[in-house]
Amino acid sequence: QDVRSLHALWGVLAAKLDALGRRAWLEQDCALLLAQDPVTPVDQIFSRLKGARSLDASAQCEALALVEWREERARRRDRPRRWILSDEQLVGIARARPRSVAALAAEDVPKKLAEHAGHDILAALERSATSDYPARIARLSDAEKPEKHQLRELQARAKARAAELNIYPEVLATKQDLVALLMGRESVRVGETWRAAELRPLLEGLE
């Protein structure tokens, strides 16, 4: 039904965009998507991994190694990464540091995955201490971060502005967009699109 109605729906949406003067917004976002590398860097995926920052440095290295392993397996099998291993399961493995397939199977890992890929997972955990993972984790940890109260205030302002524009807050700006804005290095998503004019004024008066 989506495909059957798409052509007619586009006419309705295009008319709304034109009425709002936002056709250029769509064109810019489409161009941005087409220009992006379809493969997200592993370190960037790790930086968005919920719960990873609560791990100690060694466990973070193991989590990064698991993220890398999961990406490779997901691409090879043409499956979404979380179908291979959820973020929660991945962080749980890194925290528990299992050293046998039996111990791995006890960490809420799907039984078939433990049976078929358990040794590969354990090998990834072992690699984490002997490759460049510690240096990569150090670089990610040393990345400059904005003041928390400034980020909270900017998030609130962005949310309010999104409500005025009648769009979802994440369409206007992600948390990563706002962090980059506060650090004076606009993301491509902001600096080369309509978002810059909407977000730059929100920085005024931040304390």
Side-chain angles (χ1 to χ4, degrees), residues 26-38 188-189 193:
L26 174 67
E27 293 171 350
Q28 290 168 14
D29 280 4
C30 287
L32 189 63
L33 287 171
L34 289 171
Q36 286 179 354
D37 188 333
V188 173
R189 192 169 176 268
T193 69

Side-chain angles (χ1 to χ4, degrees), residues 74-130:
R75 284 196 295 270
R76 191 171 67 246
R77 292 177 172 259
D78 194 24
R79 293 288 186 273
R81 62 177 64 96
R82 290 182 181 85
W83 286 19
I84 304 297
L85 195 65
S86 73
D87 289 353
E88 293 78 13
Q89 289 167 334
L90 190 152
V91 171
I93 293 171
R95 180 176 286 112
R97 301 175 182 173
R99 291 298 180 255
S100 70
V101 173
L104 178 64
E107 292 303 322
D108 192 31
V109 175
K111 183 179 179 181
K112 286 187 177 180
L113 183 66
E115 291 174 351
H116 298 153
H119 292 292
D120 293 336
I121 293 174
L122 295 175
L125 295 175
E126 289 295 328
R127 279 197 307 274
S128 67
T130 58

Side-chain angles (χ1 to χ4, degrees), residues 19 25 44 46 52 119 134 199 202-203:
W25 291 17
Q44 185 176 329
F46 172 83
H119 292 292
L199 292 172
L202 303 184
L203 294 171

Side-chain angles (χ1 to χ4, degrees), residues 195-207:
R195 295 176 180 85
E198 297 294 338
L199 292 172
R200 286 171 187 161
L202 303 184
L203 294 171
E204 297 177 6
L206 278 180
E207 297 181 359

Side-chain angles (χ1 to χ4, degrees), residues 176-191:
Q176 288 77 19
D177 292 331
L178 298 179
V179 167
L181 201 62
L182 282 170
M183 301 314 298
R185 51 173 191 273
E186 289 181 351
S187 65
V188 173
R189 192 169 176 268
V190 171

